[in-house]
Amino acid sequence: MAAKQRKTTTVEKKLIGVADVVITAAERSKDPTIEIPIRALSNVSFNARKGLIEMGSKKQARSFFNVGMAKKFMQTVLVADALSELQRAELTTSLREIYYRTKHTIQDSHENTFDTQDESDPVIEDLEVSLSALREELHVRAENSGSIVGPVVFGDDGDRVDCAKLGKGGYSVPSIVEPEYLEIRRCTADFVLLVEKGTQWNRLSEDKFWRRYNCVLLTGNGQPPRGVRRLARRLHEEYRLPVYVLVDNDPWGYYIYSVIKQGSINLAFESQRMAIPKAKFIGLSSADPERYELPRNVGIKLNDKDIARAKELMNYEWFKKPAWQAEIKRMLTSGLKYELDALANKDFQYLTKKYLPRKLKEKDWLD
Amino acid sequence: MSKKHSMSPSTAATTAATTAAKPVPESSVPKKAAKPAQQVTAVEMGARQREISVSEFFTKNRHLLGFDNPRKALLTCVKEAVDNALDACEEAGILPDVTVRLEIVSTNGTLPPASQATRFRITVTDNGPGIVRQQIPRIFAKLLYGSKFHRLRMSRGQQGIGISAAGMYGQLTTGKPVTIISRTGPRAAAHFFEVQIDTKKNEPLVHENKQIEWEQPQGTQVAIEVEGKYQKGRASVDEWLEQTSIANPHVKLTYCTPEGETKEYPRTYHELPPSPREIKPHPYGIEFGMFLKMLQDTKSHAVSGFLASDFCRVPPQLADEICKAAKVPPHAKPRELKGPIAETLYRRIQDTKIMAPPTNCLSPIGEKAILSGLYKQIKGEFYTAVSRPPAVYRGNPFVIEAGLAYGAAPQDQNKPRQPAMPKAEGERDEEDSELARVIRYANRVPLLYQQSACSTFKAVLSTTWKNYGVTQSRGALPGGPMVIFVHMASVWVPFTSESKEAIADYDEIQKEITLALRECGRRLGLFLRRRERAASEFRRRNIFELYIEEVVEACNRLKGGKLPKEKLKAQLQKIATSRTGGLKTDEALGKTNAGPEGLPHSIIVTEEGIEGEVDLAARVQADTAAAPVETNLLGDEQPVETQTKAQEKKSAGVKGRDAKLLKGEAAQLAPFKGPDRPDKPKKPSRPNKSDKRVSGSRPRGKK
Ligand SMILES: Nc1ncnc2c1ncn2[C@@H]1O[C@H](COP(=O)(O)OP(=O)(O)OP(=O)(O)O)[C@@H](O)[C@H]1O
Ligand SMILES: [Mg+2]
């Protein structure tokens, strides 16, 4: 509790700092300006030694008395105010609620402070990066859209949650899983299997795959939310569990894996806390259809967007390893992509009974 | 309809002449009779042949004269009487002073409310030249009797049917005679007449004729009792008078409504329109039948003399050349030219290059007067007017004039001032679906019916308003708060029917209207673009002020509510001012950008005041000191309120029309300038804020 108190204060101080920027500039008749690190590919670099995407030092000045930036500046101050209100009230909230909280019509005008959530979300990210405060520290949560099942016991608001005793539905991963909010009391698993799709996670959970192979099954239903990534990272870090990632065989699957492993471009600053550089890509690999004799007709033709995205990935620093170049090239040459679901073509339980066991046995994964 | 019509020679001739100018109802032209089922001998048929008088004809076909329904009939009666009054005054060189009184007549002893009444007495009084005693019966109780038909000169009336048809309609529906009082001067006696029309003979019946005492030194008063319906709104008497006042700012019009109110339309233009000259027909405009008739009727003994003296723009030398080209001896007797020879002569005339007819037969309203009229009656932010040079259709000279009033009415202008309504996600400012309104005139008379059949309306539709920054969907009127004014002045306006409701579609006329509209549109486009630019400058300037409040409040909350807010606000505002520098000056906003430079004959109303031909505004101001009731174009009344409150507020109150009028007062001090100055319109000295508040009592206006 004491730790939490201290942290809150730090973040709140940072938020109040935004007001100080305005006040100090006004005192000196200067244009109030906030420096915001640029969140784009141009401002990230891949630290090969750490295996992380790191944010560069390029910054963008957001000034109040600049016609093009005035509104953004005003919005930034409003969001900072709303976030500090959360801190004071010790509440957490969603991106959407922040949007509603800060939306109103500006006095004497027809103009709204924010017209859509698309305007407020980036402002929150701006504050995260410029104050180098994590979203969790800002008390902003994402939707709970992850599930976990396996031999792990949590303490959540004083409740004991044993993920081995929650049936096939498992435990819904909260969006904030920092130790203050979620305590990992016990974990006896041997590894973490992070599955892209909820459907395949369901399959594995129903088949009690985790019991036979003594692992934790995690899913983020697509691009895993922060809670899921952070939890995988904690299990990896605190319990030394290897993390295997199981995704569709398409460029988006590759990217999901890379975000889990090295971090995302947009929130590169959070890589430190989120990324799992040692995570392994277990499948679906473009080599699998041949190896597991998947018929060509369960493949899907790559569309133009897929091809463009795949080529883009090949240019990312962190996909430059020869194995990865070969992996992506193989997909491009075949011109096909495969969904995990396609394994059902052979047998409903092919994934549980044949595919994963063989993968684990052969240690057939990519790094 | 199977009955054959024959007409007395005189009537037939007159009708034929009418035919020359406009389509005559089918029924008057004998058609091949369809074979009757029962055989009728020629003798039997011959026994049935009978003369039909014009009056009888129009009794049956009253819709041709605009008496199709009681509401329209009421308007037509008012219109015929007012047209005559204005024609007479102008011809006599008198600034017209016309009173229109509509009274409800009881049919069962009790007076119904105006909207329910079925019978009205229409009384129209003018200060014109009066009518000599002997003419009164025939003018008011004989169709096709008048002074304007046989001449080529611009006037409102042209057929000699109008007022007697109104009288006849009254007689038909109420049985009451027309009563007339007329006096030709202070020394002459006033004559009182009661006349009816003998519809069989198309001759007047005089019921009463006496000398009376009349308070007016000169003028005419006509009273007709008719069956009618009074309803405000589109195509109402109110609208017609309103529009009349727009196109005739030299007229003082008083209107006593059936509801017992008195509306004044003041005179804002103190000069009579120049009196139009009478001209002879132009050879290009004449149809062959008419040409033959003229050959018969001429007083000249030689063809060349006939050509030179009975037409305009044919000098003797040209007459000889035409004869030579047609191989007709110049001294041939006109009466003897018939058949193919006459036709060849007619053809050669049409082939010969002849100067356009003189245009002093026309009296256009003029740009200045149109502006004055529009400005007086229509609330807007931008006004412009265009008079085209004279043109000719079928030998008839004509002038097209167009005008445009654009902008929100003051009520609408006030809308954004109301507390802002928070907008939901995905919600936009409501798109204005309002369409432009076209007001049409022929020889200064408003045309209220048959809009879509009218050449003017078609020209408005076919103009690409999008080019001028105005919305327009396919085949529709342009959108937006806009009134489009189109006037055709001609010695002979080609109406599509006797009820004078729509202008026929001649290419030459269309073309002129289109050109005039394009020029108006071009100026509107310039105005809109400038205003848009000014608005964006304004936004730039305001954007900081708008956000400062938000930022200061948020900072204050961040600082736990302990911030000296006012101090921070002042500091930030100071920075904003210094950062926006030149932008902030008024010049950038109003003066240099919104001024009407390059926009001739236009008035621009901005928040700072009016610019352009403001002297008009000054005159309106002077004239309206009596605080008249204002009506909008729908004829709805707006209560007159003297406004003081709104002017107390610094910027919110002094907007639009208020500021404009104040500016108008300032403009009064400036010397009056002539109407057609090609150079830059002057800019009156802008009253500063304190001035605005000092001159707080203004006679008219709305909140
Ligand atoms: N108020 C008046 N004062 C003086 N003369 C008048 C007045 N009213 C009518 N007249 C004379 O009576 C004539 C007949 O009027 P009437 O309205 O019947 O025909 P018009 O005006 O010539 O043509 P139209 O049928 O197009 O109205 C006019 O031509 C005019 O000379
Ligand atoms: Mg008339």
Side-chain angles (χ1 to χ4, degrees):
Chain A
M1 232 22 217
K4 185 178 166 188
Q5 198 59 47
R6 186 190 54 77
K7 245 185 199 166
T8 317
T9 316
T10 318
V11 170
E12 204 181 337
K13 263 188 202 148
K14 287 180 181 173
L15 290 166
I16 294 170
V18 175
D20 291 326
V21 167
V22 177
I23 296 162
T24 320
E27 289 284 352
R28 297 186 195 148
S29 296
K30 290 264 158 58
D31 188 356
T33 302
I34 306 172
E35 300 259 287
I36 294 165
I38 293 169
R39 291 175 288 117
L41 186 60
S42 64
N43 192 35
V44 297
S45 57
F46 179 59
N47 184 329
R49 194 177 48 81
K50 292 191 196 155
L52 290 179
I53 296 176
E54 287 180 335
M55 194 156 57
S57 56
K58 281 190 217 154
K59 285 188 180 168
Q60 181 192 357
R62 177 168 300 169
S63 307
F64 186 19
F65 294 111
N66 173 311
V67 181
M69 304 183 210
K71 184 159 192 181
K72 263 267 163 76
F73 186 93
M74 178 269 291
Q75 291 173 332
T76 311
V77 183
L78 285 186
V79 169
D81 171 38
L83 292 173
S84 95
E85 185 188 341
L86 279 179
Q87 298 288 325
R88 282 195 302 274
E90 297 196 29
L91 292 171
T92 68
T93 189
S94 66
L95 291 171
R96 190 131 188 93
E97 281 180 345
I98 295 266
Y99 159 62
Y100 283 129
R101 180 71 188 135
T102 51
K103 176 171 189 163
H104 58 259
T105 302
I106 298 168
Q107 220 186 3
D108 289 332
S109 81
H110 276 299
E111 202 176 323
N112 282 326
T113 48
F114 295 90
D115 280 318
T116 64
Q117 194 186 336
D118 295 345
E119 288 178 54
S120 64
D121 286 359
V123 170
I124 296 170
E125 288 180 355
D126 287 343
L127 280 171
E128 284 176 49
V129 292
S130 43
L131 305 181
S132 50
L134 291 172
R135 193 171 293 181
E136 294 72 24
E137 294 175 319
L138 291 173
H139 293 198
V140 179
R141 52 183 147 76
E143 274 87 285
N144 294 6
S145 61
S147 302
I148 184 169
V149 68
V152 56
V153 178
F154 295 121
D156 181 355
D157 275 357
D159 297 333
R160 186 186 131 93
V161 181
D162 184 347
C163 297
K165 291 183 177 149
L166 290 172
K168 53 181 172 292
Y171 172 64
S172 154
V173 181
S175 69
I176 302 180
V177 296
E178 295 312 306
E180 311 91 280
Y181 295 90
L182 191 76
E183 181 193 345
I184 306 175
R185 294 199 184 156
R186 202 161 65 93
C187 179
T188 54
D190 293 330
F191 64 93
V192 174
L193 183 65
L194 211 168
V195 189
E196 175 186 352
K197 280 184 168 170
T199 51
Q200 302 313 313
W201 183 89
N202 281 334
R203 160 64 51 224
L204 295 168
S205 169
E206 200 177 303
D207 296 349
K208 301 287 181 237
F209 178 87
W210 58 270
R211 201 166 272 163
R212 181 157 339 142
Y213 291 90
N214 194 34
C215 65
V216 167
L217 289 178
L218 251 177
T219 182
N221 293 310
Q223 177 73 262
R226 291 156 179 259
V228 172
R229 284 172 58 199
R230 180 75 187 125
L231 185 58
R233 161 79 180 250
R234 281 189 64 195
L235 289 169
H236 170 74
E237 210 168 48
E238 293 168 28
Y239 290 86
R240 313 250 155 242
L241 303 186
V243 174
Y244 303 106
V245 179
L246 180 65
V247 294
D248 282 345
N249 181 231
D250 62 24
W252 320 100
Y254 293 151
Y255 188 69
I256 286 173
Y257 158 75
S258 84
V259 167
I260 293 165
K261 192 178 171 78
Q262 288 105 6
S264 75
I265 297 171
N266 196 25
L267 294 172
F269 72 101
E270 287 196 324
S271 302
Q272 300 279 11
R273 319 235 326 173
M274 297 280 202
I276 309 168
K278 285 190 181 139
K280 304 283 187 283
F281 175 85
I282 197 165
L284 216 50
S285 156
S286 55
D288 291 345
E290 200 190 319
R291 226 174 289 170
Y292 292 82
E293 293 166 336
L294 285 179
R296 199 180 153 77
N297 63 7
V298 299
I300 301 172
K301 191 177 176 292
L302 290 173
N303 61 33
D304 296 346
K305 256 171 140 185
D306 294 329
I307 295 167
R309 185 73 177 126
K311 288 183 175 157
E312 211 175 340
L313 293 183
M314 287 180 77
N315 283 324
Y316 287 163
E317 204 65 47
W318 49 98
F319 277 117
K320 280 278 155 70
K321 291 176 199 161
W324 269 105
Q325 293 283 317
E327 165 75 27
I328 300 174
K329 220 174 250 162
R330 199 182 306 117
M331 178 173 74
L332 283 170
T333 330
S334 78
L336 296 176
K337 59 184 178 181
Y338 290 84
E339 290 183 293
L340 279 167
D341 316 58
L343 295 171
N345 179 261
K346 305 199 77 95
D347 185 295
F348 279 126
Q349 291 183 311
Y350 192 78
L351 177 69
T352 329
K353 301 222 165 122
K354 296 270 164 58
Y355 179 82
L356 282 176
R358 181 173 155 195
K359 279 266 168 180
L360 290 167
K361 199 171 119 222
E362 294 176 1
K363 296 195 181 347
D364 177 19
W365 47 67
L366 278 174
D367 186 28
Chain B
M1 283 312 266
S2 61
K3 225 192 284 173
K4 260 196 181 175
H5 302 158
S6 81
M7 299 200 179
S8 70
S10 69
T11 333
T14 341
T15 324
T18 319
T19 322
K22 48 188 161 179
V24 139
E26 293 254 305
S27 49
S28 67
V29 184
K31 277 253 167 80
K32 247 204 276 172
K35 263 221 163 121
Q38 235 185 345
Q39 297 280 308
V40 177
T41 66
V43 182
E44 279 172 320
M45 238 160 87
R48 281 189 221 158
Q49 308 285 20
R50 201 144 59 77
E51 182 177 328
I52 299 148
S53 86
V54 241
S55 339
E56 278 181 305
F57 178 75
F58 281 121
T59 306
K60 280 204 171 167
N61 294 295
R62 53 164 103 145
H63 59 277
L64 296 177
L65 297 180
F67 297 96
D68 350 16
N69 60 60
R71 181 163 182 254
K72 193 169 165 190
L74 187 72
L75 168 64
T76 304
C77 292
V78 169
K79 171 175 138 72
E80 293 301 343
V82 172
D83 285 356
N84 283 353
L86 297 181
D87 273 349
C89 290
E90 284 167 19
E91 210 169 315
I94 299 163
L95 274 173
D97 231 325
V98 175
T99 304
V100 176
R101 182 187 299 276
L102 289 190
E103 287 161 302
I104 301 163
V105 178
S106 153
T107 43
N108 57 0
T110 58
L111 268 192
S115 58
Q116 245 111 76
T118 55
R119 202 180 265 211
F120 294 87
R121 182 178 300 105
I122 302 157
T123 311
V124 175
T125 315
D126 65 53
N127 62 340
I131 306 171
V132 291
R133 203 176 74 94
Q134 301 83 328
Q135 293 293 351
I136 293 176
R138 269 173 294 184
I139 285 179
F140 293 96
K142 182 175 170 65
L143 291 179
L144 294 173
Y145 187 89
S147 56
K148 305 166 200 168
F149 183 83
H150 295 277
R151 64 177 195 204
L152 281 177
R153 177 183 188 272
M154 175 185 155
S155 57
R156 293 173 180 78
Q158 49 190 32
Q159 306 170 121
I161 302 178
I163 198 63
S164 28
M168 197 171 81
Y169 172 78
Q171 178 181 333
L172 229 78
T173 51
T174 68
K176 291 285 166 61
V178 179
T179 62
I180 303 111
I181 302 173
S182 193
R183 189 172 182 180
T184 54
R187 301 235 188 105
H191 292 280
F192 175 89
F193 270 89
E194 275 188 14
V195 295
Q196 282 203 315
I197 188 165
D198 178 343
T199 49
K200 280 246 163 58
K201 297 196 198 123
N202 186 25
E203 284 299 334
L205 296 170
V206 178
H207 286 241
E208 178 87 75
N209 168 19
K210 60 185 181 199
Q211 288 194 11
I212 57 156
E213 288 291 314
W214 199 34
E215 67 279 7
Q216 256 184 240
Q218 186 177 319
T220 304
Q221 174 173 315
V222 196
I224 311 174
E225 202 171 308
V226 298
E227 202 164 81
K229 182 167 163 49
Y230 176 77
Q231 190 190 330
K232 290 183 185 178
R234 284 284 160 97
S236 61
V237 172
D238 301 52
E239 185 189 38
W240 188 83
L241 290 171
E242 165 88 20
Q243 290 193 14
T244 299
S245 138
I246 292 175
N248 298 274
H250 65 291
V251 174
K252 175 170 181 269
L253 198 58
T254 309
Y255 171 36
C256 308
T257 73
E259 286 160 344
E261 291 164 62
T262 302
K263 293 186 190 176
E264 295 271 356
Y265 298 99
R267 178 175 295 129
T268 57
Y269 205 75
H270 298 262
E271 286 157 44
L272 266 175
S275 174
R277 292 281 170 78
E278 199 174 324
I279 59 160
K280 293 187 189 124
H282 191 272
Y284 283 175
I286 233 70
E287 261 137 23
F288 184 52
M290 191 65 180
F291 182 68
L292 284 179
K293 187 171 177 297
M294 286 176 75
L295 279 171
Q296 294 306 306
D297 296 351
T298 183
K299 291 190 188 98
S300 303
H301 300 294
V303 190
S304 61
F306 158 73
L307 291 176
S309 60
D310 285 22
F311 291 98
C312 67
R313 299 300 199 212
V314 184
Q317 200 190 336
L318 186 64
D320 286 342
E321 276 173 37
I322 294 171
C323 290
K324 219 195 266 164
K327 300 202 170 64
V328 176
H331 295 290
K333 284 204 165 66
R335 227 152 306 196
E336 280 157 21
L337 288 187
K338 294 217 169 81
I341 309 172
E343 202 171 331
T344 321
L345 180 62
Y346 177 75
R347 287 274 137 70
R348 290 294 85 75
I349 294 174
Q350 306 304 313
D351 297 345
T352 310
K353 227 180 153 180
I354 302 170
M355 243 177 105
T359 49
N360 53 7
C361 55
L362 298 177
S363 165
I365 303 171
E367 281 145 346
K368 213 160 184 66
I370 294 174
L371 274 182
S372 160
L374 287 173
Y375 181 74
K376 173 178 68 159
Q377 296 296 351
I378 298 171
K379 311 284 159 287
E381 296 151 78
F382 173 75
Y383 304 82
T384 192
V386 173
S387 276
R388 294 282 312 157
V392 179
Y393 82 94
R394 258 189 30 202
N396 295 312
F398 71 97
V399 166
I400 292 297
E401 297 179 289
L404 204 146
Y406 184 95
Q411 305 97 288
D412 302 339
Q413 276 186 354
N414 278 345
K415 241 194 231 159
R417 311 272 131 232
Q418 286 162 4
M421 173 83 142
K423 275 200 294 294
E425 207 172 301
E427 202 174 43
R428 284 281 129 75
D429 270 328
E430 246 175 67
E431 296 265 310
D432 240 330
S433 55
E434 187 186 352
L435 288 185
R437 224 155 116 38
V438 183
I439 55 178
R440 306 170 288 132
Y441 296 88
N443 286 352
R444 296 166 180 262
V445 181
L447 309 176
L448 299 189
Y449 283 92
Q450 299 226 11
Q451 170 168 274
S452 50
C454 192
S455 187
T456 55
F457 187 72
K458 291 178 191 167
V460 172
L461 292 190
S462 65
T463 302
T464 314
W465 292 93
K466 278 191 181 150
N467 294 347
Y468 313 120
V470 181
T471 59
Q472 185 182 27
S473 17
R474 263 181 87 94
L477 285 171
M482 168 156 64
V483 174
I484 300 167
F485 169 110
V486 186
H487 175 228
M488 170 171 184
S490 179
V491 291
W492 190 271
V493 178
F495 288 112
T496 55
S497 84
E498 280 76 3
S499 51
K500 302 189 272 193
E501 287 163 348
I503 299 171
D505 222 347
Y506 285 93
D507 285 349
E508 297 88 337
I509 299 175
Q510 274 274 350
K511 187 181 142 209
E512 282 298 315
I513 301 172
T514 304
L515 288 173
L517 288 175
R518 278 192 197 150
E519 176 59 19
C520 286
R522 194 188 64 82
R523 293 181 196 165
L524 174 66
L526 278 175
F527 163 74
L528 288 177
R529 269 199 299 283
R530 278 174 203 182
R531 198 179 62 167
E532 183 48 45
R533 214 182 308 144
S536 79
E537 297 282 307
F538 190 67
R539 275 199 294 277
R540 267 172 86 82
R541 219 176 85 171
N542 264 346
I543 198 167
F544 301 136
E545 307 211 345
L546 208 58
Y547 298 154
I548 283 174
E549 189 78 36
E550 291 288 335
V551 167
V552 168
E553 287 299 330
C555 286
N556 182 43
R557 286 191 300 268
L558 276 165
K559 292 300 250 181
K562 286 177 284 212
L563 198 71
K565 278 198 288 181
E566 289 311 314
K567 185 177 148 222
L568 180 59
K569 204 151 95 186
Q571 286 169 337
L572 289 173
Q573 269 159 355
K574 218 178 105 206
I575 304 172
T577 313
S578 71
R579 297 261 158 180
T580 48
L583 285 179
K584 204 145 161 83
T585 57
D586 281 343
E587 275 73 20
L589 261 175
K591 261 189 173 170
T592 52
N593 275 329
E597 291 133 74
L599 292 176
H601 307 298
S602 303
I603 299 177
I604 290 176
V605 182
T606 63
E607 297 191 351
E608 264 80 55
I610 54 169
E611 290 176 85
E613 302 195 331
V614 280
D615 33 7
L616 288 170
R619 292 174 142 221
V620 173
Q621 183 76 347
D623 257 333
T624 48
V629 177
E630 282 184 13
T631 52
N632 60 26
L633 279 182
L634 291 175
D636 307 327
E637 275 169 43
Q638 306 291 336
V640 174
E641 280 178 56
T642 29
Q643 182 175 3
T644 44
K645 246 182 290 158
Q647 287 176 0
E648 307 290 350
K649 282 195 229 158
K650 219 192 284 169
S651 62
V654 188
K655 293 268 179 220
R657 203 137 183 108
D658 300 343
K660 169 176 63 186
L661 281 158
L662 294 164
K663 186 79 165 232
E665 286 166 0
Q668 271 182 295
L669 305 171
F672 182 81
K673 295 252 177 104
D676 290 305
R677 293 180 315 114
D679 54 329
K680 279 190 192 169
K682 69 177 179 289
K683 287 212 200 107
S685 56
R686 181 185 305 271
N688 59 33
K689 283 231 163 95
S690 59
D691 281 343
K692 285 186 187 175
R693 249 165 290 151
V694 172
S695 48
S697 73
R698 42 180 219 91
R700 53 190 224 110
K702 294 178 216 172
K703 281 227 233 177

